[in-house]
Amino acid sequence: MKRSPHHFSVEMTEDQAHLRILQTTDLHAQVFPYDYYNDRPVEGLGLAHTAQVIAAARKATPNTVLLDNGDMLQGSALGDYMAYDRGMRLGDLHPVIAAMNVLGYDAATLGNHEFNYGLPFLQAAVAGARFPVVCANALVKRGDDVAGDVRLLPPYVLLDRMMTCAGGAVHPIKIGVLGLLPPQIVTWDETVLRGAIQSRDMVETAAALIPEMRAAGADVVIVLAHSGIGEARHYDGMENAARPLAQLPGVDALLAGHTHMLFPSAQFAGVAGIDVARGTVDGTPTAMAGFWGSHLGVVDLKLGREAGPNGGRWLVLGGGGQALPVAKGVKHVPAKPVQRVLKAAQKEHDATLDYMRFPVGATARPLHSYFALIKDCMTVQIVCRAQRRYVAAQLAGTAHEGLPLLSAAAPFKVGGWAGPDHYTDIPAGPMYQRSVADLYCFPNTICAMRLRGADILEWLERSAAAFHRIERGKQDQPLLNDAFPSYNFDVILGLTYQIDPTQPARYSTLGALVDDQAHRITDLRFQEKPIDLTAEFVVATNNYRASTYGALCGAGSARVVFETSVTVRNVLLNEIAAASPLTIQPEANWRFAPMPDTSLVFETSPKAAPFVAALDAPVLERLGETEAGFVRYRVRG
């Protein structure tokens, strides 16, 4: 079907119709507006809050479909409780699916995190859905081409609906919904999938299936892609492929996700081919709805009836996307949770609270991540130490036992797009199951890689892309690059090094090598001596990093020498229980290189204030708060 170049307008002639496509994405098992890690309610988040905005959006037009973009089953304590404590068998109803059933979703696709708990869990969960779950490129067997692929789920669905025109006439329509996800699922969750799933490139898959959908009668094609808005140019195996997907012929609307960003928003302002005002990506109406139910994605399409021998098929006349913030509610009334959605998950929510409140140990000092991006952080080092101790025991008696053992981990909760409350903050005193989940919020499994010193240097250079380039002698320069995800800011314990952000970044925020002459890592040492770049090391880490290491910073000579289905969180739990009360002090690991006569601006939570005075370095000077609720501090270089 051709797409008219006209902008979307709510003004309709009698024979035209308005189709409203509603989207949630990256819910991450956040049904209740509740912070399980700090054991308190949180306003404006969770599907039960989003439900109020969904109802208002549906009320505004008679023609709506509600779709979910994936990553629905994992990401909160509720999701982990269902996977690790309660479990799922065929016939059970997952609370997230129960809540989605109540809201009457029309279709959904899978995200990469749906595979974290293994295939039997995933299959049992989606079996309870009273709506089609589609995914075109998660394969049971990969064929010679797309036509020969054997899929885990149907690739698309054709929704038969009735469209009400502005003049009141009602006509049938077929709405095609195609599901896609990052092909990297086969490596990210290799430990639990064990070769049971294969994958194919998203753009290759969509290009082959969209004509098939059209031939089957689809009047409108919606690409439901669990993929972010990345580069415009396509390459095979692309993770964030929304732009090449938007460029495909026959795509009428695109729903993106995965990166937890918003579209349309200022995050994409000024990017060639992206129109934030219209809500289009390369001419295609697009929406991306944040995460945890924070926003409702909306794509509005204006449809007309095509005259002539085609028998009145629908023509898309224009359209655009938007992302409605749930916290603002409806008509300036703050969002309130919808009770029937809460009721659908109430039993499992209560059981999750009991699970998270179980005592596991104690800490003699507070643990927090407020400064994890500017100095050594105990919340990261505790994970590193637990990993190192566990891997050392597992490698005893093997050929790798005598190699130097390092450990890598990243801070997961350091504000960013999740806001000023998204930090780890565990007070001195008792620790609970929720404390362990707060320290390590992903279900990653532990593993180890064998690397050369040169590989480790590249790994740290990749982490150093977290910072903007700083100009020496200039004052109050923003330090953190918001486009860099904190879970890629790995620190490696067992080494000491400096990061010099006055140098250009060697890697982009997406992990591409952009300057092979650039180096931000300086004075890299092992046991107080400059590291031998040819020497071999073992690095304890997690399965996600082991699978993405090559893509992020070159494969080098890296190879996995140990892997298991044991989660890092369980390793951490055992460490805390054995060492309680925790009295450990941070060890020197990394710092910024000196930057004389230079100052930086660093943002963190207002709740960091009581801990500022105790910092030995760097010295922070409070500058004030941002509109988003963060506190700005000046950091002297």
Side-chain angles (χ1 to χ4, degrees):
M1 180 192 306
K2 297 188 301 182
R3 187 185 299 115
S4 164
H6 300 303
H7 291 199
F8 172 76
S9 171
V10 293
E11 296 180 3
M12 304 279 178
T13 62
E14 288 193 352
D15 60 346
Q16 293 175 343
H18 171 197
L19 174 61
R20 172 159 280 188
I21 304 162
L22 309 179
Q23 177 220 27
T24 56
T25 188
D26 295 274
L27 291 172
H28 287 293
Q30 200 72 46
V31 178
F32 272 68
Y34 202 87
D35 181 347
Y36 293 103
Y37 306 119
N38 292 301
D39 204 358
R40 60 180 176 82
V42 177
E43 295 301 314
L45 292 178
L47 184 58
H49 267 153
T50 318
Q52 181 186 349
V53 184
I54 290 171
R58 279 172 162 166
K59 188 177 181 180
T61 177
N63 310 306
T64 64
V65 290
L66 174 61
L67 309 173
D68 184 80
N69 227 62
D71 275 8
M72 63 191 96
L73 300 178
Q74 178 278 339
S76 77
L78 173 66
D80 287 340
Y81 164 75
M82 291 301 300
Y84 297 130
D85 196 75
R86 155 74 186 276
M88 284 287 298
R89 293 177 295 183
L90 286 175
D92 292 342
L93 184 58
H94 194 287
V96 174
I97 299 297
M100 295 173 74
N101 286 342
V102 165
L103 285 172
Y105 275 76
D106 292 278
T109 193
L110 302 178
N112 54 289
H113 282 293
E114 260 67 74
F115 295 86
N116 288 168
Y117 304 132
L119 211 50
F121 182 91
L122 167 58
Q123 291 171 313
V126 301
R130 295 203 299 261
F131 49 87
V133 181
V134 296
C135 186
N137 65 324
L139 313 176
V140 175
K141 182 179 180 182
R142 183 180 167 115
D144 293 334
D145 53 22
V146 174
D149 289 341
V150 180
R151 301 178 179 88
L152 178 68
L153 294 172
Y156 59 82
V157 64
L158 300 180
L159 302 173
D160 289 303
R161 297 292 186 266
M162 300 301 293
M163 287 286 291
T164 302
C165 295
V170 178
H171 300 283
I173 188 173
K174 282 188 183 292
I175 302 170
V177 180
L178 174 68
L180 299 163
L181 49 62
Q184 288 79 5
I185 54 170
V186 297
T187 53
W188 290 344
D189 280 307
E190 182 180 7
T191 304
V192 293
L193 295 178
R194 299 293 182 188
I197 291 294
Q198 298 175 284
S199 64
R200 186 180 292 277
D201 179 73
M202 285 183 277
V203 177
E204 176 191 3
T205 302
L209 291 178
I210 289 170
E212 180 180 312
M213 297 170 70
R214 292 292 187 190
D219 294 296
V220 174
V221 169
I222 303 167
V223 173
L224 189 58
H226 189 80
S227 184
I229 300 172
E231 298 176 38
R233 178 186 60 85
H234 171 252
Y235 56 86
D236 187 54
M238 199 171 187
E239 177 184 349
N240 294 304
R243 294 199 64 181
L245 287 169
Q247 296 164 17
L248 290 176
V251 177
D252 295 310
L254 173 66
L255 300 180
H258 183 52
T259 58
H260 293 196
M261 299 177 78
L262 293 173
F263 186 83
S265 73
Q267 293 170 316
F268 297 96
V271 179
I274 294 180
D275 191 327
V276 172
R278 292 177 59 187
T280 61
V281 172
D282 295 305
T284 297
T286 301
M288 180 161 52
F291 58 102
W292 299 349
S294 64
H295 292 72
L296 180 68
V298 178
V299 169
D300 290 302
L301 297 181
K302 182 176 181 179
L303 306 182
R305 301 281 287 168
E306 189 174 24
N310 288 330
R313 291 191 64 175
W314 293 97
L315 173 69
V316 177
L317 303 176
Q322 57 182 314
L324 303 178
V326 168
K328 293 184 178 180
V330 180
K331 295 182 179 179
H332 308 293
V333 177
K336 296 181 179 179
V338 173
Q339 292 302 310
R340 61 195 179 98
V341 178
L342 296 178
K343 185 178 179 181
Q346 185 72 56
K347 181 179 177 181
E348 291 81 7
H349 168 72
D350 293 342
T352 300
L353 292 179
D354 291 340
Y355 172 71
M356 295 295 278
R357 290 167 179 167
F358 186 80
V360 298
T363 176
R365 56 178 296 168
L367 304 171
H368 61 80
S369 61
Y370 295 127
F371 311 116
L373 295 178
I374 60 170
K375 69 183 294 16
D376 298 329
C377 178
M378 273 306 307
T379 65
V380 178
Q381 291 195 1
I382 287 172
V383 175
C384 285
R385 293 178 187 190
Q387 290 178 162
R388 184 167 59 186
R389 192 186 309 273
Y390 183 86
V391 168
Q394 301 304 310
L395 294 184
T398 73
H400 315 291
E401 180 181 14
L403 292 175
L405 179 57
L406 310 174
S407 187
F412 296 137
K413 298 179 66 177
V414 283
W417 302 322
D421 290 329
H422 190 63
Y423 290 84
T424 295
D425 189 345
I426 302 169
M431 296 183 73
Y432 305 93
Q433 187 73 252
R434 69 172 185 264
S435 310
V436 183
D438 198 7
L439 288 167
Y440 205 96
C441 55
F442 290 104
N444 298 332
T445 56
I446 192 165
C447 68
M449 294 191 294
R450 186 164 174 161
L451 299 160
R452 296 174 301 131
D455 300 321
I456 291 169
L457 175 59
E458 290 300 307
W459 190 341
L460 293 173
E461 289 285 359
R462 172 68 180 94
S463 292
F467 308 108
H468 288 299
R469 188 174 184 185
I470 301 302
E471 183 179 338
R472 290 183 184 271
K474 187 175 179 180
Q475 306 306 307
D476 294 351
Q477 302 169 73
L479 175 63
L480 303 180
N481 188 336
D482 290 338
F484 187 96
S486 67
Y487 57 75
N488 281 336
F489 184 69
D490 286 320
V491 300
I492 300 182
L493 199 64
L495 303 172
T496 59
Y497 54 95
Q498 296 183 358
I499 299 176
D500 186 356
T502 67
Q503 299 301 309
R506 186 173 176 83
Y507 290 89
S508 73
T509 58
L510 297 176
L513 180 64
V514 292
D515 187 344
D516 62 4
Q517 300 301 307
H519 287 285
R520 284 183 165 183
I521 302 299
T522 64
D523 198 25
L524 177 59
R525 293 175 176 266
F526 173 67
Q527 294 182 343
E528 300 183 353
K529 297 179 181 179
I531 194 170
D532 182 350
L533 297 182
T534 65
E536 289 194 310
F537 298 81
V538 172
V539 183
T541 183
N542 62 74
N543 67 306
Y544 175 78
R545 178 58 70 237
S547 65
T548 59
Y549 173 83
L552 286 176
C553 44
S557 62
R559 59 190 177 95
V560 174
V561 295
F562 169 75
E563 60 181 343
T564 177
S565 60
V566 175
T567 65
V568 175
R569 191 182 301 171
N570 276 347
V571 170
L572 182 59
L573 172 64
N574 292 336
E575 180 85 359
I576 291 170
S580 285
L582 299 178
T583 58
I584 51 179
Q585 300 291 323
E587 61 183 87
N589 185 205
W590 73 275
R591 65 185 186 276
F592 289 116
M595 293 172 278
D597 304 318
T598 304
S599 68
L600 320 171
V601 175
F602 163 70
E603 295 180 2
T604 187
S605 169
K607 295 177 183 178
F611 304 104
V612 170
L615 293 180
D616 52 354
V619 176
L620 302 184
E621 303 170 25
R622 193 178 191 279
L623 296 176
E625 290 196 16
T626 70
E627 290 185 6
F630 291 93
V631 172
R632 300 169 69 244
Y633 286 95
R634 176 182 291 123
V635 183
R636 296 291 182 183

PDB file of all heavy atoms in Angstrom, residues 158-187:
ATOM      1  N   LEU A 158      -2.898 -11.522  11.552  1.00  0.00           N
ATOM      2  CA  LEU A 158      -3.798 -10.608  10.849  1.00  0.00           C
ATOM      3  C   LEU A 158      -5.044 -10.438  11.706  1.00  0.00           C
ATOM      4  O   LEU A 158      -5.814 -11.385  11.895  1.00  0.00           O
ATOM      5  CB  LEU A 158      -4.154 -11.150   9.470  1.00  0.00           C
ATOM      6  CG  LEU A 158      -2.986 -11.380   8.506  1.00  0.00           C
ATOM      7  CD1 LEU A 158      -3.486 -11.925   7.175  1.00  0.00           C
ATOM      8  CD2 LEU A 158      -2.175 -10.105   8.292  1.00  0.00           C
ATOM      9  N   LEU A 159      -5.196  -9.258  12.266  1.00  0.00           N
ATOM     10  CA  LEU A 159      -6.325  -8.968  13.144  1.00  0.00           C
ATOM     11  C   LEU A 159      -7.505  -8.491  12.300  1.00  0.00           C
ATOM     12  O   LEU A 159      -7.422  -7.455  11.624  1.00  0.00           O
ATOM     13  CB  LEU A 159      -5.947  -7.883  14.159  1.00  0.00           C
ATOM     14  CG  LEU A 159      -4.748  -8.190  15.068  1.00  0.00           C
ATOM     15  CD1 LEU A 159      -4.386  -6.956  15.898  1.00  0.00           C
ATOM     16  CD2 LEU A 159      -5.054  -9.378  15.976  1.00  0.00           C
ATOM     17  N   ASP A 160      -8.605  -9.230  12.334  1.00  0.00           N
ATOM     18  CA  ASP A 160      -9.822  -8.822  11.635  1.00  0.00           C
ATOM     19  C   ASP A 160     -10.624  -7.898  12.541  1.00  0.00           C
ATOM     20  O   ASP A 160     -11.093  -8.309  13.608  1.00  0.00           O
ATOM     21  CB  ASP A 160     -10.655 -10.044  11.251  1.00  0.00           C
ATOM     22  CG  ASP A 160     -10.014 -10.845  10.128  1.00  0.00           C
ATOM     23  OD1 ASP A 160      -9.763 -10.258   9.061  1.00  0.00           O
ATOM     24  OD2 ASP A 160      -9.737 -12.047  10.329  1.00  0.00           O
ATOM     25  N   ARG A 161     -10.758  -6.660  12.144  1.00  0.00           N
ATOM     26  CA  ARG A 161     -11.457  -5.666  12.948  1.00  0.00           C
ATOM     27  C   ARG A 161     -12.460  -4.922  12.073  1.00  0.00           C
ATOM     28  O   ARG A 161     -12.410  -4.996  10.839  1.00  0.00           O
ATOM     29  CB  ARG A 161     -10.468  -4.669  13.570  1.00  0.00           C
ATOM     30  CG  ARG A 161      -9.462  -5.295  14.543  1.00  0.00           C
ATOM     31  CD  ARG A 161     -10.155  -5.794  15.807  1.00  0.00           C
ATOM     32  NE  ARG A 161      -9.199  -6.268  16.802  1.00  0.00           N
ATOM     33  CZ  ARG A 161      -8.824  -7.527  16.933  1.00  0.00           C
ATOM     34  NH1 ARG A 161      -9.283  -8.458  16.092  1.00  0.00           N
ATOM     35  NH2 ARG A 161      -7.984  -7.887  17.887  1.00  0.00           N
ATOM     36  N   MET A 162     -13.337  -4.175  12.712  1.00  0.00           N
ATOM     37  CA  MET A 162     -14.288  -3.302  12.019  1.00  0.00           C
ATOM     38  C   MET A 162     -13.893  -1.859  12.292  1.00  0.00           C
ATOM     39  O   MET A 162     -13.686  -1.466  13.436  1.00  0.00           O
ATOM     40  CB  MET A 162     -15.719  -3.568  12.485  1.00  0.00           C
ATOM     41  CG  MET A 162     -16.216  -4.993  12.254  1.00  0.00           C
ATOM     42  SD  MET A 162     -16.185  -5.527  10.527  1.00  0.00           S
ATOM     43  CE  MET A 162     -17.447  -4.447   9.821  1.00  0.00           C
ATOM     44  N   MET A 163     -13.757  -1.074  11.221  1.00  0.00           N
ATOM     45  CA  MET A 163     -13.359   0.328  11.337  1.00  0.00           C
ATOM     46  C   MET A 163     -14.575   1.221  11.184  1.00  0.00           C
ATOM     47  O   MET A 163     -15.352   1.083  10.232  1.00  0.00           O
ATOM     48  CB  MET A 163     -12.347   0.681  10.247  1.00  0.00           C
ATOM     49  CG  MET A 163     -10.966   0.102  10.477  1.00  0.00           C
ATOM     50  SD  MET A 163     -10.059   0.939  11.790  1.00  0.00           S
ATOM     51  CE  MET A 163      -9.751   2.513  11.024  1.00  0.00           C
ATOM     52  N   THR A 164     -14.740   2.123  12.127  1.00  0.00           N
ATOM     53  CA  THR A 164     -15.823   3.090  12.076  1.00  0.00           C
ATOM     54  C   THR A 164     -15.312   4.392  11.470  1.00  0.00           C
ATOM     55  O   THR A 164     -14.371   5.009  11.991  1.00  0.00           O
ATOM     56  CB  THR A 164     -16.380   3.369  13.480  1.00  0.00           C
ATOM     57  OG1 THR A 164     -16.842   2.142  14.056  1.00  0.00           O
ATOM     58  CG2 THR A 164     -17.531   4.367  13.419  1.00  0.00           C
ATOM     59  N   CYS A 165     -15.897   4.796  10.372  1.00  0.00           N
ATOM     60  CA  CYS A 165     -15.496   6.030   9.703  1.00  0.00           C
ATOM     61  C   CYS A 165     -16.093   7.243  10.406  1.00  0.00           C
ATOM     62  O   CYS A 165     -17.001   7.117  11.251  1.00  0.00           O
ATOM     63  CB  CYS A 165     -15.946   6.012   8.244  1.00  0.00           C
ATOM     64  SG  CYS A 165     -15.135   4.741   7.251  1.00  0.00           S
ATOM     65  N   ALA A 166     -15.580   8.421  10.060  1.00  0.00           N
ATOM     66  CA  ALA A 166     -16.064   9.657  10.692  1.00  0.00           C
ATOM     67  C   ALA A 166     -17.555   9.856  10.475  1.00  0.00           C
ATOM     68  O   ALA A 166     -18.254  10.422  11.321  1.00  0.00           O
ATOM     69  CB  ALA A 166     -15.282  10.852  10.155  1.00  0.00           C
ATOM     70  N   GLY A 167     -18.069   9.392   9.334  1.00  0.00           N
ATOM     71  CA  GLY A 167     -19.488   9.547   9.048  1.00  0.00           C
ATOM     72  C   GLY A 167     -20.366   8.471   9.670  1.00  0.00           C
ATOM     73  O   GLY A 167     -21.591   8.493   9.495  1.00  0.00           O
ATOM     74  N   GLY A 168     -19.752   7.500  10.369  1.00  0.00           N
ATOM     75  CA  GLY A 168     -20.513   6.458  11.053  1.00  0.00           C
ATOM     76  C   GLY A 168     -20.562   5.128  10.333  1.00  0.00           C
ATOM     77  O   GLY A 168     -20.961   4.114  10.927  1.00  0.00           O
ATOM     78  N   ALA A 169     -20.165   5.090   9.060  1.00  0.00           N
ATOM     79  CA  ALA A 169     -20.153   3.817   8.338  1.00  0.00           C
ATOM     80  C   ALA A 169     -19.083   2.890   8.904  1.00  0.00           C
ATOM     81  O   ALA A 169     -18.036   3.340   9.381  1.00  0.00           O
ATOM     82  CB  ALA A 169     -19.902   4.065   6.850  1.00  0.00           C
ATOM     83  N   VAL A 170     -19.355   1.582   8.867  1.00  0.00           N
ATOM     84  CA  VAL A 170     -18.436   0.593   9.432  1.00  0.00           C
ATOM     85  C   VAL A 170     -17.984  -0.349   8.318  1.00  0.00           C
ATOM     86  O   VAL A 170     -18.805  -0.881   7.563  1.00  0.00           O
ATOM     87  CB  VAL A 170     -19.106  -0.192  10.571  1.00  0.00           C
ATOM     88  CG1 VAL A 170     -18.164  -1.256  11.124  1.00  0.00           C
ATOM     89  CG2 VAL A 170     -19.548   0.749  11.686  1.00  0.00           C
ATOM     90  N   HIS A 171     -16.663  -0.560   8.230  1.00  0.00           N
ATOM     91  CA  HIS A 171     -16.105  -1.424   7.197  1.00  0.00           C
ATOM     92  C   HIS A 171     -15.067  -2.357   7.814  1.00  0.00           C
ATOM     93  O   HIS A 171     -14.379  -1.990   8.771  1.00  0.00           O
ATOM     94  CB  HIS A 171     -15.428  -0.585   6.098  1.00  0.00           C
ATOM     95  CG  HIS A 171     -16.342   0.373   5.409  1.00  0.00           C
ATOM     96  ND1 HIS A 171     -17.254  -0.016   4.464  1.00  0.00           N
ATOM     97  CD2 HIS A 171     -16.483   1.721   5.549  1.00  0.00           C
ATOM     98  CE1 HIS A 171     -17.913   1.037   4.025  1.00  0.00           C
ATOM     99  NE2 HIS A 171     -17.457   2.112   4.666  1.00  0.00           N
ATOM    100  N   PRO A 172     -14.901  -3.543   7.261  1.00  0.00           N
ATOM    101  CA  PRO A 172     -13.880  -4.460   7.784  1.00  0.00           C
ATOM    102  C   PRO A 172     -12.479  -4.017   7.402  1.00  0.00           C
ATOM    103  O   PRO A 172     -12.272  -3.343   6.390  1.00  0.00           O
ATOM    104  CB  PRO A 172     -14.241  -5.793   7.126  1.00  0.00           C
ATOM    105  CG  PRO A 172     -14.949  -5.418   5.871  1.00  0.00           C
ATOM    106  CD  PRO A 172     -15.700  -4.155   6.173  1.00  0.00           C
ATOM    107  N   ILE A 173     -11.511  -4.413   8.230  1.00  0.00           N
ATOM    108  CA  ILE A 173     -10.110  -4.122   7.968  1.00  0.00           C
ATOM    109  C   ILE A 173      -9.268  -5.265   8.508  1.00  0.00           C
ATOM    110  O   ILE A 173      -9.635  -5.904   9.510  1.00  0.00           O
ATOM    111  CB  ILE A 173      -9.681  -2.777   8.608  1.00  0.00           C
ATOM    112  CG1 ILE A 173      -8.264  -2.386   8.147  1.00  0.00           C
ATOM    113  CG2 ILE A 173      -9.745  -2.845  10.131  1.00  0.00           C
ATOM    114  CD1 ILE A 173      -7.843  -0.990   8.593  1.00  0.00           C
ATOM    115  N   LYS A 174      -8.158  -5.559   7.843  1.00  0.00           N
ATOM    116  CA  LYS A 174      -7.183  -6.530   8.345  1.00  0.00           C
ATOM    117  C   LYS A 174      -5.928  -5.767   8.758  1.00  0.00           C
ATOM    118  O   LYS A 174      -5.315  -5.103   7.928  1.00  0.00           O
ATOM    119  CB  LYS A 174      -6.835  -7.575   7.277  1.00  0.00           C
ATOM    120  CG  LYS A 174      -7.873  -8.663   7.090  1.00  0.00           C
ATOM    121  CD  LYS A 174      -7.351  -9.749   6.151  1.00  0.00           C
ATOM    122  CE  LYS A 174      -8.411 -10.807   5.887  1.00  0.00           C
ATOM    123  NZ  LYS A 174      -8.717 -11.605   7.085  1.00  0.00           N
ATOM    124  N   ILE A 175      -5.585  -5.885  10.039  1.00  0.00           N
ATOM    125  CA  ILE A 175      -4.412  -5.205  10.581  1.00  0.00           C
ATOM    126  C   ILE A 175      -3.330  -6.256  10.823  1.00  0.00           C
ATOM    127  O   ILE A 175      -3.494  -7.155  11.650  1.00  0.00           O
ATOM    128  CB  ILE A 175      -4.751  -4.470  11.890  1.00  0.00           C
ATOM    129  CG1 ILE A 175      -5.867  -3.447  11.652  1.00  0.00           C
ATOM    130  CG2 ILE A 175      -3.506  -3.794  12.467  1.00  0.00           C
ATOM    131  CD1 ILE A 175      -6.433  -2.848  12.924  1.00  0.00           C
ATOM    132  N   GLY A 176      -2.247  -6.160  10.084  1.00  0.00           N
ATOM    133  CA  GLY A 176      -1.152  -7.113  10.226  1.00  0.00           C
ATOM    134  C   GLY A 176      -0.157  -6.653  11.272  1.00  0.00           C
ATOM    135  O   GLY A 176       0.269  -5.495  11.269  1.00  0.00           O
ATOM    136  N   VAL A 177       0.216  -7.550  12.172  1.00  0.00           N
ATOM    137  CA  VAL A 177       1.192  -7.246  13.227  1.00  0.00           C
ATOM    138  C   VAL A 177       2.336  -8.249  13.122  1.00  0.00           C
ATOM    139  O   VAL A 177       2.131  -9.454  13.307  1.00  0.00           O
ATOM    140  CB  VAL A 177       0.555  -7.301  14.621  1.00  0.00           C
ATOM    141  CG1 VAL A 177       1.602  -6.978  15.697  1.00  0.00           C
ATOM    142  CG2 VAL A 177      -0.636  -6.357  14.724  1.00  0.00           C
ATOM    143  N   LEU A 178       3.534  -7.749  12.822  1.00  0.00           N
ATOM    144  CA  LEU A 178       4.726  -8.580  12.657  1.00  0.00           C
ATOM    145  C   LEU A 178       5.629  -8.388  13.868  1.00  0.00           C
ATOM    146  O   LEU A 178       5.949  -7.258  14.241  1.00  0.00           O
ATOM    147  CB  LEU A 178       5.472  -8.166  11.387  1.00  0.00           C
ATOM    148  CG  LEU A 178       6.831  -8.816  11.116  1.00  0.00           C
ATOM    149  CD1 LEU A 178       6.663 -10.306  10.807  1.00  0.00           C
ATOM    150  CD2 LEU A 178       7.547  -8.104   9.974  1.00  0.00           C
ATOM    151  N   GLY A 179       6.067  -9.499  14.509  1.00  0.00           N
ATOM    152  CA  GLY A 179       6.908  -9.422  15.697  1.00  0.00           C
ATOM    153  C   GLY A 179       8.360  -9.734  15.398  1.00  0.00           C
ATOM    154  O   GLY A 179       8.670 -10.682  14.670  1.00  0.00           O
ATOM    155  N   LEU A 180       9.272  -8.927  15.978  1.00  0.00           N
ATOM    156  CA  LEU A 180      10.710  -9.103  15.766  1.00  0.00           C
ATOM    157  C   LEU A 180      11.467  -8.812  17.060  1.00  0.00           C
ATOM    158  O   LEU A 180      11.010  -8.018  17.890  1.00  0.00           O
ATOM    159  CB  LEU A 180      11.207  -8.151  14.676  1.00  0.00           C
ATOM    160  CG  LEU A 180      10.607  -8.311  13.273  1.00  0.00           C
ATOM    161  CD1 LEU A 180      10.883  -7.061  12.440  1.00  0.00           C
ATOM    162  CD2 LEU A 180      11.168  -9.547  12.585  1.00  0.00           C
ATOM    163  N   LEU A 181      12.639  -9.432  17.201  1.00  0.00           N
ATOM    164  CA  LEU A 181      13.499  -9.168  18.359  1.00  0.00           C
ATOM    165  C   LEU A 181      14.967  -9.259  17.960  1.00  0.00           C
ATOM    166  O   LEU A 181      15.297  -9.738  16.871  1.00  0.00           O
ATOM    167  CB  LEU A 181      13.182 -10.134  19.511  1.00  0.00           C
ATOM    168  CG  LEU A 181      13.082 -11.638  19.285  1.00  0.00           C
ATOM    169  CD1 LEU A 181      14.359 -12.273  18.795  1.00  0.00           C
ATOM    170  CD2 LEU A 181      12.661 -12.320  20.579  1.00  0.00           C
ATOM    171  N   PRO A 182      15.880  -8.798  18.821  1.00  0.00           N
ATOM    172  CA  PRO A 182      17.308  -8.844  18.461  1.00  0.00           C
ATOM    173  C   PRO A 182      17.780 -10.276  18.253  1.00  0.00           C
ATOM    174  O   PRO A 182      17.540 -11.145  19.100  1.00  0.00           O
ATOM    175  CB  PRO A 182      18.003  -8.209  19.683  1.00  0.00           C
ATOM    176  CG  PRO A 182      16.953  -7.369  20.322  1.00  0.00           C
ATOM    177  CD  PRO A 182      15.659  -8.099  20.099  1.00  0.00           C
ATOM    178  N   PRO A 183      18.485 -10.545  17.173  1.00  0.00           N
ATOM    179  CA  PRO A 183      18.966 -11.907  16.920  1.00  0.00           C
ATOM    180  C   PRO A 183      20.013 -12.364  17.928  1.00  0.00           C
ATOM    181  O   PRO A 183      20.340 -13.548  17.995  1.00  0.00           O
ATOM    182  CB  PRO A 183      19.545 -11.821  15.504  1.00  0.00           C
ATOM    183  CG  PRO A 183      19.842 -10.376  15.286  1.00  0.00           C
ATOM    184  CD  PRO A 183      18.815  -9.622  16.069  1.00  0.00           C
ATOM    185  N   GLN A 184      20.511 -11.435  18.750  1.00  0.00           N
ATOM    186  CA  GLN A 184      21.531 -11.767  19.743  1.00  0.00           C
ATOM    187  C   GLN A 184      21.021 -12.661  20.869  1.00  0.00           C
ATOM    188  O   GLN A 184      21.807 -13.099  21.720  1.00  0.00           O
ATOM    189  CB  GLN A 184      22.114 -10.490  20.353  1.00  0.00           C
ATOM    190  CG  GLN A 184      23.019  -9.704  19.429  1.00  0.00           C
ATOM    191  CD  GLN A 184      22.270  -8.857  18.425  1.00  0.00           C
ATOM    192  OE1 GLN A 184      21.049  -8.752  18.446  1.00  0.00           O
ATOM    193  NE2 GLN A 184      23.001  -8.226  17.514  1.00  0.00           N
ATOM    194  N   ILE A 185      19.729 -12.969  20.897  1.00  0.00           N
ATOM    195  CA  ILE A 185      19.203 -13.849  21.950  1.00  0.00           C
ATOM    196  C   ILE A 185      19.958 -15.168  22.015  1.00  0.00           C
ATOM    197  O   ILE A 185      20.097 -15.759  23.090  1.00  0.00           O
ATOM    198  CB  ILE A 185      17.698 -14.131  21.748  1.00  0.00           C
ATOM    199  CG1 ILE A 185      17.406 -14.683  20.354  1.00  0.00           C
ATOM    200  CG2 ILE A 185      16.869 -12.898  22.037  1.00  0.00           C
ATOM    201  CD1 ILE A 185      16.006 -15.213  20.168  1.00  0.00           C
ATOM    202  N   VAL A 186      20.452 -15.643  20.882  1.00  0.00           N
ATOM    203  CA  VAL A 186      21.104 -16.954  20.866  1.00  0.00           C
ATOM    204  C   VAL A 186      22.436 -16.923  21.615  1.00  0.00           C
ATOM    205  O   VAL A 186      22.890 -17.964  22.111  1.00  0.00           O
ATOM    206  CB  VAL A 186      21.324 -17.457  19.428  1.00  0.00           C
ATOM    207  CG1 VAL A 186      19.997 -17.665  18.721  1.00  0.00           C
ATOM    208  CG2 VAL A 186      22.206 -16.497  18.628  1.00  0.00           C
ATOM    209  N   THR A 187      23.054 -15.752  21.727  1.00  0.00           N
ATOM    210  CA  THR A 187      24.306 -15.656  22.477  1.00  0.00           C
ATOM    211  C   THR A 187      24.078 -15.118  23.876  1.00  0.00           C
ATOM    212  O   THR A 187      24.711 -15.565  24.836  1.00  0.00           O
ATOM    213  CB  THR A 187      25.324 -14.763  21.740  1.00  0.00           C
ATOM    214  OG1 THR A 187      24.730 -13.499  21.437  1.00  0.00           O
ATOM    215  CG2 THR A 187      25.762 -15.424  20.449  1.00  0.00           C
TER     216      THR A 187
END
